[in-house]
Amino acid sequence: MPQSRFTVACWALTLCALLPGAALSARRAPDPGFKALDGQARKLSSLRGQVVVVNFWATWCGPCQEELPRLSQLAASYAGKPVRFVLISIDAPKDRPKIPAVLARLHVDLESWANADTDTMDSFGLGDIVPGTAILDEKGELVTRIMGEAREDDVRGAVEWLLGGRSGPAPAALTKRY
C-alpha cells in the first residue's frame, strides 16, 4: 500500500525529533545584508570557508555585556585558525553610535556589524531575545544555536567539533540559556 504524504511527513518529523542535529546541520544560514561599523556592506556568505561564530547583541543588554568579553577571549584562543567571530548588533539606528563606546569599555575587539533586528535573529532560529549565538560551518550551514548567554563550553564544543573534522558526538542543535 503506498504511503501518503502525511505519513512520510510524520516519519520525517519523527526522525528529526530523534536526531535534532541532523535536521539543523543541513540548514543554510540566512544571508541578509549588514553594515560594518565603518559603513561597509557585509554578508555572512563572504566568510565561507571558515567556522563562523555569530553573536547577536545590543548595547542595552546586560547579559550581552557579560558575554562579549568571554567571546573576545575565545576568539583570541583561535587566532591563526579558520574561525571568525562576528558580533551583530540589533540596536535601533538611533542607538548604533553607542556601539563603539560599549565595545571599547568592555575591551572587546571583534568584528562588529549592525543592521539586524529581532526578525533577523528569528530567521536564524534564535527567537527574539538577545543575546543569541549561531555557529556556522565552513559552508555557511547552521550547526548549533545558543539562545541566551553562551557559555565557553557551548561555543568551544561546537567549534572544536567542526575543526576536528566532525569526529565524536555532534554539538546540541539548540541550547537554551534562559
Side-chain angles (χ1 to χ4, degrees), residues 83-151:
V83 180
R84 199 79 170 263
F85 284 69
V86 178
L87 307 177
I88 302 178
S89 171
I90 68 162
D91 282 290
K94 69 178 180 60
D95 294 324
R96 290 183 188 149
K98 299 175 186 177
I99 294 171
V102 170
L103 294 175
R105 180 175 52 79
L106 297 172
H107 307 287
V108 172
D109 186 24
L110 293 175
E111 191 165 352
S112 301
W113 302 351
N115 207 31
D117 56 24
T118 55
D119 289 339
T120 310
M121 289 181 62
D122 195 42
S123 72
F124 279 79
L126 292 168
D128 60 0
I129 298 172
V130 285
T133 303
I135 300 176
L136 314 180
D137 70 8
E138 66 283 347
K139 296 177 185 171
E141 294 178 352
L142 285 162
V143 172
T144 191
R145 299 164 294 144
I146 303 141
M147 298 172 84
E149 194 174 339
R151 296 180 182 160

Side-chain angles (χ1 to χ4, degrees), residues 3 19-20 35 38 61 69 74 93 100 117 124 132 143 161-162:
Q3 294 183 336
L19 304 169
K35 293 268 185 195
D38 65 4
C61 167
L74 271 167
D117 56 24
F124 279 79
V143 172
W161 182 75
L162 288 166

Side-chain angles (χ1 to χ4, degrees), residues 15-27 142-143 161 170-174:
L15 179 61
C16 290
L18 293 173
L19 304 169
L24 184 62
S25 64
R27 181 177 165 217
L142 285 162
V143 172
W161 182 75
L174 175 65

Side-chain angles (χ1 to χ4, degrees), residues 157 161 166-172:
W161 182 75
R166 300 176 188 241
S167 63

